[in-house]
Amino acid sequence: MSTTPILDVRRADDRLRTKIDWLDSRHSFSFGHHYDPENTHFGVLMVNNDDIVRAGAGFDTHPHRDMEIVTWVLRGSLVHQDSTGHSGVIYPGLAQRMSAGSGILHSEKNDSWRCAGATGSHAAEHDEPVRFVQMWVLPDEAGIEPGYEQLEIDDELLSGGLVPVASGMDAYADHSAIRIRNRYAAMHVARMRPDRPVTLPDAPFLHVFVARGEAALEGAGHLAEGDAVRIAGGGGRQLTTATGAEILVWEMHAALGHS
């Protein structure tokens, strides 16, 4: 029996917000002291935080457990350090995944100060804020060994199409930049061009987030920066843009508690 797809448009200004002197964070789902029992997750996606951190500041060392965490930087650069000895600088076009597993400590800081004298395409201004989207999904099993992976995929994004960025699905085993421990989920990014429509994957659950720019989704209409659409039961729709946009898409073939 066929069902009518459900498109749930969530506007940027309706997101929950945490704003303090060094952080401006917009939450697509319940997070921290912001709790809405009707908005805890979609599919297997539990967190989609749109964060801006001022220069010289960031998240001090803190713990995580049993979570797959994908970080995607939109502007500036972010320094990651964790208790397993991994460290790295994350910048636009570089995919990063941290598996918290049985337990991990990590910190994330705006890299502007350290890169103030750098040159090249990823050099940061002395006082540049860093903006990034951090997304969490549950792993297939609890208590796995913590891990870290990062890989630059800037060249692949030049096509303007959807690029698999993080995946636990066999379908993308030969394509995704980094692996996550959830066999039902994959995250894609497109740096869209006006001359190239993007077709969404076919999946029971899709979360489409406009990270930068503006786009239009078939059946949902105009989407501004920060808008999101939760789609249940309907893939294959087209995204277009008149001016350019950066889109983050989670393709999910299960919901929490189901497989």
Side-chain angles (χ1 to χ4, degrees), residues 60-143:
D60 291 326
T61 302
H62 58 283
H64 289 288
R65 189 181 185 91
D66 291 329
M67 199 66 66
E68 296 291 286
I69 300 173
V70 178
T71 301
W72 186 254
V73 173
L74 298 166
R75 182 178 74 248
S77 52
L78 190 70
V79 174
H80 164 97
Q81 293 181 314
D82 66 47
S83 55
T84 66
H86 292 101
S87 63
V89 178
I90 316 165
Y91 47 79
L94 184 141
Q96 188 241 43
R97 178 268 301 165
M98 184 181 76
S99 297
S102 57
I104 196 168
L105 300 170
H106 81 137
S107 64
E108 295 163 305
K109 300 292 182 71
N110 187 327
D111 195 39
S112 289
W113 296 105
R114 198 168 69 83
C115 286
T119 60
S121 60
H122 302 302
E125 296 295 336
H126 189 68
D127 60 352
E128 182 182 15
V130 58
R131 181 182 172 214
F132 59 97
V133 182
Q134 191 165 93
M135 299 150 283
W136 300 6
V137 297
L138 284 175
D140 290 326
E141 57 183 298

Side-chain angles (χ1 to χ4, degrees), residues 53-255:
V53 175
R54 70 166 171 79
F59 298 93
D60 291 326
T61 302
H62 58 283
H64 289 288
R65 189 181 185 91
D66 291 329
M67 199 66 66
E68 296 291 286
I69 300 173
V70 178
T71 301
W72 186 254
V73 173
L74 298 166
R75 182 178 74 248
S77 52
L78 190 70
V79 174
H80 164 97
Q81 293 181 314
D82 66 47
S83 55
T84 66
H86 292 101
S87 63
V89 178
I90 316 165
Y91 47 79
L94 184 141
Q96 188 241 43
R97 178 268 301 165
M98 184 181 76
S99 297
S102 57
I104 196 168
L105 300 170
H106 81 137
S107 64
E108 295 163 305
K109 300 292 182 71
N110 187 327
D111 195 39
S112 289
W113 296 105
R114 198 168 69 83
C115 286
T119 60
S121 60
H122 302 302
E125 296 295 336
H126 189 68
D127 60 352
E128 182 182 15
V130 58
R131 181 182 172 214
F132 59 97
V133 182
Q134 191 165 93
M135 299 150 283
W136 300 6
V137 297
L138 284 175
D140 290 326
E141 57 183 298
I144 62 176
E145 182 178 353
Y148 177 91
E149 188 179 3
Q150 66 178 47
L151 186 67
E152 184 170 336
I153 58 170
D154 211 40
D155 289 346
E156 288 85 343
L157 293 168
L158 293 174
S159 70
L162 278 179
V163 176
V165 170
S167 173
M169 295 171 53
D170 290 341
Y172 301 109
D174 297 329
H175 303 285
S176 62
I178 51 179
R179 298 292 290 173
I180 56 174
R181 314 282 184 82
N182 188 305
R183 63 185 180 275
Y184 300 111
M187 194 272 276
H188 310 259
V189 175
R191 288 183 179 162
M192 295 181 63
R193 305 191 309 241
D195 62 344
R196 179 167 181 182
V198 166
T199 301
L200 294 178
D202 189 11
F205 304 96
L206 293 168
H207 186 269
V208 180
F209 179 67
V210 182
R212 292 194 298 184
E214 298 180 338
L217 175 62
E218 181 183 354
H222 176 261
L223 301 172
E225 184 168 299
D227 287 352
V229 184
R230 305 175 188 185
I231 306 174
R237 294 171 183 269
Q238 281 203 336
L239 275 165
T240 56
T241 181
T243 57
E246 189 160 339
I247 308 294
L248 280 56
V249 177
W250 277 92
E251 171 189 353
M252 297 169 286
H253 293 263

Side-chain angles (χ1 to χ4, degrees), residues 16-20 23-27 31-34:
L16 302 167
R17 186 180 188 185
T18 298
K19 185 171 175 58
I20 53 180
L23 171 69
D24 189 356
S25 182
R26 308 272 184 157
H27 316 296
F31 190 82
H33 67 277
H34 298 290

Side-chain angles (χ1 to χ4, degrees), residues 3-20:
T3 58
T4 302
I6 299 172
L7 279 71
D8 182 5
V9 179
R10 304 289 179 120
R11 298 300 180 188
D13 290 343
D14 294 333
R15 292 175 293 177
L16 302 167
R17 186 180 188 185
T18 298
K19 185 171 175 58
I20 53 180

